[in-house]
Amino acid sequence: MSDLEQGSLAYFLSKPVSPQWADFLRVLGEELSEQMSPEEIRAFFLLLGQRIARRNPLTAGETLQDLEQAVNDQLRNMGWGWMRVRDLNTSLEFLHSCAPLRQAFGDAAMEWAPGLLEGLYSEWLKQLGAEEALVLQQLGKPEGVQDTLRFRLAHPSQFL
């Protein structure tokens, strides 16, 4: 197990879902899954993420390192893991690890719960002046014990 995986596992174990909310969040996820399609739940969670970002705006910065620090400051305050950003020349990639989505909503929710983070990042990037022509989209499924999620900010043609 790599140092990142060991650190992630330690982080997960130190941040369980609060007992006062654990059952509520789990049954909320179950009920949403019974009442709505995964696409509908994901769209709803995207809206929730955008609303959270509006309540918790980022401080402006000059560099990608400043962006990463500002996002991680917010994530730390929320107990939502951490993020790394990478410049891929034609796009930006956001790698988000240790979000407590699986702990809160269960394994099946990993199909739609990352919409919360997609909404969060898309709104923060909009606040910071990201071009309207750019799209933020999740790539693939959660990876590793730290449930790393990949999001890419790029022109829509990059996702074809």
Side-chain angles (χ1 to χ4, degrees):
M1 189 177 283
S2 73
D3 288 343
L4 176 63
E5 290 173 328
Q6 288 176 349
S8 296
L9 191 55
Y11 178 90
F12 271 145
L13 295 174
S14 73
K15 303 282 186 194
V17 173
S18 173
Q20 69 198 47
W21 290 104
D23 283 339
F24 172 78
L25 292 173
R26 190 59 61 103
V27 298
L28 175 64
E30 291 169 4
E31 191 64 30
L32 287 170
S33 293
E34 289 177 16
Q35 301 295 326
M36 302 165 71
S37 71
E39 295 80 19
E40 291 170 319
I41 304 169
R42 185 177 182 88
F44 177 62
F45 268 53
L46 188 132
L47 293 173
L48 294 175
Q50 290 171 332
R51 186 174 293 250
I52 291 168
R54 287 191 294 274
R55 287 181 174 221
N56 299 279
L58 291 181
T59 57
E62 299 294 320
T63 66
L64 288 180
Q65 186 176 16
D66 293 339
L67 170 64
E68 186 174 299
Q69 183 64 51
V71 169
N72 281 319
D73 288 345
Q74 290 286 5
L75 295 174
R76 185 173 25 265
N77 291 336
M78 294 187 271
W80 283 12
W82 66 83
M83 179 276 291
R84 294 178 314 269
V85 63
R86 296 188 327 180
D87 183 350
L88 302 177
N89 293 323
T90 60
S91 63
L92 293 178
E93 184 174 65
F94 298 85
L95 301 166
H96 189 117
S97 297
C98 296
L101 301 173
R102 188 180 304 274
Q103 295 91 320
F105 301 107
D107 293 338
M110 294 310 288
E111 183 177 357
W112 47 261
L116 187 67
L117 297 172
E118 192 170 326
L120 190 72
Y121 286 124
S122 66
E123 180 64 25
W124 277 336
L125 292 166
K126 178 181 166 187
Q127 290 170 7
L128 295 174
E131 294 180 27
E132 290 286 324
L134 300 177
V135 174
L136 182 83
Q137 193 170 12
Q138 181 181 344
L139 302 174
K141 297 180 185 280
E143 301 170 9
V145 297
Q146 66 272 21
D147 274 342
T148 297
L149 296 160
R150 294 178 183 275
F151 299 94
R152 182 150 309 146
L153 178 69
H155 188 272
S157 64
Q158 298 268 328
F159 297 108
L160 299 176

